[in-house]
Amino acid sequence: MTKATDGRKQNKDAGFSLVELLIAVVILAIIVIPLMNLFVSSNRINIKSRQTLRATTVAQDIMEGLKAYNIEEIRAQFNDPAGGFYVIDSRLIKGGVAEETPGMGNPTDGLYVFSMKQLTMQGSEYDAKIEVDGRGYMTGTLTHDNEFNDAALADARSIDKKNGTFVEAEKYRQAVLKSVFKDSGMETAIKSRWTAAGVAGNLDTKYDELRDAGNANYVCYKNAAAFFDQVSRTITIELTTSAEVDEDGHPKVDMEITQFYDFVYKDAGGVDVTVHTAGDIGSGFIVDGMPCGKITRMVDAATGEEKINVNLFYYPLYGASAPDKIIVKNGSGADLNLLIAKQRHETTDASGMPVLTDPEYLSDPQLMAAEQAYKADILVQDGLGASMNKERFLLKTNLGLNLVGKNYLAGAPIELPAQLTVNGTNMDLSGSSDMNIFTLDGVRSPMGRAAAPGEATELIYDVQVSIYKTGAADSGFPEDMRMVVIGGSTTN
């Protein structure tokens, strides 16, 4: 043994024995194999992460594209992509787009499903499923606290206020209520009426109480409202072609709002005198020619047809002697998507509850009575001042509904108001009309023509975009092929 060991020491070229080599290989394998698995797993995770990131990017791009269109326009693009598909770059979609079976033929279902096949992103291909669901915002569902699609009161927060929208704020109401007049004949007429009615006391002192607090030379309408025999208002929306163009070279549209009020009283001789105002003249706040931004046209690439969205939210003028007149002067040349909605005035406290001591607060019975007597007259004109062809505008409105709702006070039923005139046509609920009018629930009411089969009209809805592995669309979008899901709604 000693001799063998000594011999090996003397032979410097001697190697490891077979047993020693095998032991070394086993030890190396024990160390390397797990590391190799770690590298393979890490690479697999990196690939999956990249795929998921790309799929998420696709979903986000689709969601952003959907925001630019209402459900009717979305359906039109998926059912006729050759006519112009703008939700996402159509060059990225190799397998085409389509609307799936849910929602076809029944616009009141509120559920619409769309698909995209072989959507390419950075060398990877995916299928996409898009669900547009308005059912959760309708009566009979518990999905949401706010049933926007059935609300008699429109929610201005869901509208793009940057252009094409005017929301009448409290300051505009107050500007009219605080309108002041410098009219020498008014003083004589008021004192004459008081004298005829046998009003006692110093008439000069009583008249001073009607004057504007900031300017004794003016009378405030709010203080003397009962003196006027007639009150009427005209809201004018003027649309003109702007000098500014969009990124595609199409001219934008300027929108401007004017409100005029006519207060009529009888002078001492019994002759009607009309006081014409456009706001609080005393303070200088005038609701005349208020700009509402520039509207971008929606242009159909195939036909060249143009549409613009115009939204008006206003407070009804209750107790007026004439209907609220709303005139839309469309000098843009484009067709109109009109949304005209009345708002309920309420002053709320810090907790969001109505302030019942507000002198202008109307309880449900009071509001119902005011609504039943309220009338509105809408006139849509073309650039030449003639009534616009009914095929060139679509009107969504709550003017045929009571702001109290269908029921109030322990569920007692009430009748719906029936005082809406559009281009001279009376839209009472007992009659019929082929005018293209929707209620704010998104479905055509008895005021307008019946919805065509498959026509979509929901205003508020949830959106869910799901990205699948390619081939999922042909297999019915199985759950095990789904990669990414993102969601949102038109209110968020």
Side-chain angles (χ1 to χ4, degrees):
M1 187 66 163
T2 303
K3 291 182 179 180
T5 303
D6 293 341
R8 197 186 313 171
K9 288 181 178 179
Q10 294 174 1
N11 184 3
K12 295 181 180 181
D13 294 328
F16 292 104
S17 67
L18 181 59
V19 174
E20 291 172 326
L21 183 59
L22 287 174
I23 293 172
V25 170
V26 170
I27 294 172
L28 182 63
I30 292 173
I31 298 172
V32 171
I33 289 176
L35 288 176
M36 290 181 64
N37 286 334
L38 180 62
F39 290 141
V40 171
S41 298
S42 178
N43 187 54
R44 190 180 298 117
I45 291 172
N46 286 338
I47 292 173
K48 186 176 181 179
S49 297
R50 284 197 296 271
Q51 292 280 6
T52 302
L53 179 60
R54 292 169 184 167
T56 303
T57 301
V58 170
Q60 291 172 337
D61 288 350
I62 293 173
M63 184 68 80
E64 288 300 316
L66 293 172
K67 289 180 180 179
Y69 307 98
N70 61 38
I71 181 61
E72 195 172 11
E73 294 163 337
I74 293 171
R75 291 192 72 211
Q77 293 185 50
F78 277 91
N79 288 312
D80 182 22
F85 189 83
Y86 307 106
V87 171
I88 196 171
D89 190 341
S90 59
R91 293 172 297 181
L92 301 176
I93 308 170
K94 295 181 180 179
V97 300
E99 180 176 2
E100 302 297 310
T101 301
M104 293 289 283
N106 190 352
T108 60
D109 280 348
L111 173 64
Y112 306 93
V113 181
F114 309 94
S115 65
M116 297 181 181
K117 294 182 181 180
Q118 294 177 272
L119 184 56
T120 304
M121 173 62 68
Q122 297 177 355
S124 300
E125 287 189 356
Y126 308 94
D127 287 351
K129 179 182 179 183
I130 303 163
E131 293 178 281
V132 177
D133 191 353
R135 297 174 300 177
Y137 299 93
M138 297 177 182
T139 299
T141 64
L142 299 176
T143 310
H144 300 282
D145 293 333
N146 298 303
E147 297 168 350
F148 291 107
N149 281 342
D150 289 333
L153 176 61
D155 186 355
R157 294 171 298 176
S158 65
I159 302 296
D160 178 12
K161 300 183 184 66
K162 293 182 179 178
N163 58 62
T165 297
F166 175 77
V167 180
E168 186 180 29
E170 272 298 306
K171 62 183 179 181
Y172 300 129
R173 291 182 71 251
Q174 294 301 325
V176 175
L177 293 173
K178 295 177 181 176
S179 294
V180 292
F181 315 101
K182 187 176 183 180
D183 190 331
S184 58
M186 184 181 296
E187 181 174 359
T188 303
I190 290 179
K191 290 181 178 179
S192 296
R193 184 176 297 187
W194 284 341
T195 300
V199 175
N202 189 315
L203 298 185
D204 290 337
T205 301
K206 290 184 176 296
Y207 188 79
D208 286 341
E209 295 174 356
L210 304 181
R211 298 184 187 276
D212 180 48
N215 192 329
N217 294 322
Y218 289 85
V219 174
C220 180
Y221 163 72
K222 191 173 184 179
N223 297 336
F227 172 70
F228 293 93
D229 299 312
Q230 298 178 29
V231 182
S232 62
R233 169 176 65 175
T234 299
I235 301 174
T236 302
I237 304 173
E238 190 148 5
L239 305 166
T240 56
T241 300
S242 172
E244 184 178 326
V245 298
D246 62 19
E247 57 185 12
D248 296 319
H250 301 295
K252 294 186 176 182
V253 177
D254 289 323
M255 175 175 168
E256 197 172 74
I257 291 281
T258 295
Q259 293 193 53
F260 288 122
Y261 293 78
D262 287 323
F263 306 115
V264 181
Y265 70 93
K266 293 186 183 298
D267 64 14
V271 178
D272 285 344
V273 177
T274 300
V275 178
H276 185 74
T277 180
D280 185 357
I281 301 172
S283 69
F285 190 90
I286 310 297
V287 287
D288 180 13
M290 294 175 288
C292 305
K294 298 183 184 297
I295 309 172
T296 301
R297 300 172 190 254
M298 297 176 290
V299 182
D300 188 310
T303 64
E305 294 180 355
E306 301 177 352
K307 288 185 178 180
I308 54 175
N309 293 324
V310 176
N311 309 303
L312 171 67
F313 295 85
Y314 75 103
Y315 293 105
L317 184 62
Y318 296 123
S321 55
D324 264 340
K325 192 160 189 176
I326 301 172
I327 302 175
V328 183
K329 296 182 177 181
N330 182 23
S332 70
D335 293 349
L336 298 178
N337 289 331
L338 293 174
L339 191 154
I340 298 176
K342 54 188 176 181
Q343 304 178 104
R344 178 174 183 171
H345 164 68
E346 278 189 350
T347 302
T348 56
D349 58 22
S351 64
M353 297 300 293
V355 178
L356 303 184
T357 56
D358 178 3
E360 296 179 54
Y361 172 75
L362 295 179
S363 64
D364 280 355
Q366 291 171 326
L367 180 59
M368 187 204 74
E371 280 280 278
Q372 291 297 108
Y374 178 72
K375 297 181 180 181
D377 182 14
I378 299 175
L379 179 60
V380 186
Q381 299 177 330
D382 60 19
L384 300 177
S387 293
M388 195 169 182
N389 187 298
K390 63 187 179 184
E391 304 299 332
R392 296 200 56 206
F393 71 90
L394 176 151
L395 175 60
K396 294 178 182 176
T397 183
N398 62 357
L399 290 176
L401 297 176
N402 196 307
L403 291 184
V404 179
K406 293 183 179 180
N407 296 285
Y408 86 103
L409 293 183
I414 62 173
E415 296 295 325
L416 299 180
Q419 302 89 4
L420 170 61
T421 304
V422 181
N423 281 2
T425 301
N426 189 340
M427 299 296 165
D428 70 64
L429 296 176
S430 61
S432 61
S433 171
D434 60 355
M435 191 77 74
N436 200 15
I437 298 178
F438 297 74
T439 55
L440 287 182
D441 60 6
V443 179
R444 286 185 178 86
S445 74
M447 291 185 295
R449 64 178 175 84
E455 207 160 15
T457 59
E458 283 75 18
L459 290 176
I460 310 297
Y461 42 80
D462 292 327
V463 180
Q464 179 174 288
V465 178
S466 303
I467 305 300
Y468 292 76
K469 296 176 183 177
T470 186
D474 292 331
S475 303
F477 292 107
E479 192 67 24
D480 59 356
M481 295 183 71
R482 187 162 67 171
M483 301 177 63
V484 170
V485 180
I486 65 171
S489 76
T490 51
T491 60
N492 184 10

